[in-house]
Amino acid sequence: MNESVRERFQLSPLIRGTLVCVYLALVFPLPLMAPEDLQPLLWIAAPVGLALVLAMLSEQVSVDQSGIQVGHPDWCRWLLRRGWSLPWKDVKRLVPVGTSQGGTVYYIKTVGHGHRLLPQRLERFDRFLSIVQLQTGLDTASIGRLTPPWTYQLLFSLSLAMFVIEVAVAIALQQRWLVIPMGVPG
């Protein structure tokens, strides 16, 4: 790799968008359904929660000629201190480990740094793997994404449908097109 080249990889937009949509679908209706005295608190808490979700989903992987670094951008690093860096020369091998869902994660076995989880949910994942292979000499041909894209596409579609239905019901209740009879539990 050219010494002046530094590439940055973020979480796949499909995964990030799906998880944000799930959050919105689950949290958006809460202030609308809560008792009036709790609504202001929930209208404050919902955006704070969204900011936390966005911070967690902002993890990025940087690679250059000297090594790999995993961490968060400056705007949220103070809150999420997880992260690690590893010189390429210390990478010894990739160890596959089966997950309880039937997938495979890979750990980077190192000299002096323990094991580090290889990021597998990145945008441009094939490019990332080619850099790892080029810098370490390890074969990455058998490494794939942790989860196939169709699972996130399905989850995104379901959460989007849930969100649209919730908005439609909220509008219908507000316009009194839909009325919940008194005495109904909840």
Side-chain angles (χ1 to χ4, degrees), residues 1-3 5-7 9 61-70 84-94 108-111 113 116 118-119 122 127-138 140:
M1 177 179 281
N2 184 325
E3 288 192 28
V5 174
R6 180 175 186 87
E7 289 194 50
F9 301 88
V61 177
S62 298
V63 293
D64 61 19
Q65 74 286 350
S66 63
I68 180 172
Q69 182 177 357
V70 177
W84 53 270
S85 61
L86 184 63
W88 293 122
K89 66 181 178 54
D90 291 349
V91 174
K92 294 304 166 202
R93 65 185 178 116
L94 299 170
I108 304 169
K109 184 171 174 78
T110 70
V111 173
H113 301 279
R116 303 287 185 206
L118 180 75
L122 301 175
R127 172 71 180 143
F128 170 72
L129 287 179
S130 70
I131 293 170
V132 170
Q133 183 166 326
L134 176 68
Q135 293 296 332
T136 65
L138 299 174
T140 61

Side-chain angles (χ1 to χ4, degrees), residues 3-168:
E3 288 192 28
S4 63
V5 174
R6 180 175 186 87
E7 289 194 50
R8 182 170 290 144
F9 301 88
Q10 296 181 328
L11 188 66
S12 163
L14 174 63
I15 296 170
R16 192 177 3 189
T18 297
L19 296 177
V20 167
C21 192
V22 167
Y23 176 84
L24 292 174
L26 293 174
V27 174
F28 175 76
L30 296 179
L32 301 174
M33 297 185 312
E36 284 187 35
D37 57 328
L38 284 179
Q39 287 180 354
L41 177 65
L42 291 174
W43 281 118
I44 292 168
V48 170
L50 180 59
L52 287 172
V53 168
L54 292 173
M56 288 185 285
L57 297 175
S58 70
E59 186 176 75
Q60 53 195 13
V61 177
S62 298
V63 293
D64 61 19
Q65 74 286 350
S66 63
I68 180 172
Q69 182 177 357
V70 177
H72 289 84
D74 292 338
W75 72 270
C76 63
R77 186 173 298 140
W78 62 273
L79 178 64
L80 304 168
R81 297 198 182 265
R82 286 183 338 170
W84 53 270
S85 61
L86 184 63
W88 293 122
K89 66 181 178 54
D90 291 349
V91 174
K92 294 304 166 202
R93 65 185 178 116
L94 299 170
V95 180
V97 177
T99 67
S100 60
Q101 294 84 22
T104 303
V105 295
Y106 290 83
Y107 283 90
I108 304 169
K109 184 171 174 78
T110 70
V111 173
H113 301 279
H115 291 78
R116 303 287 185 206
L117 185 62
L118 180 75
Q120 288 179 264
R121 292 186 168 114
L122 301 175
E123 63 182 350
R124 302 182 296 128
F125 185 60
D126 293 337
R127 172 71 180 143
F128 170 72
L129 287 179
S130 70
I131 293 170
V132 170
Q133 183 166 326
L134 176 68
Q135 293 296 332
T136 65
L138 299 174
D139 182 19
T140 61
S142 63
I143 298 175
R145 293 186 177 277
L146 183 57
T147 311
W150 70 264
T151 58
Y152 284 99
Q153 292 165 345
L154 177 62
L155 183 57
F156 179 80
S157 299
L158 292 173
S159 59
L160 186 61
M162 189 169 125
F163 185 74
V164 167
I165 290 168
E166 289 166 350
V167 168

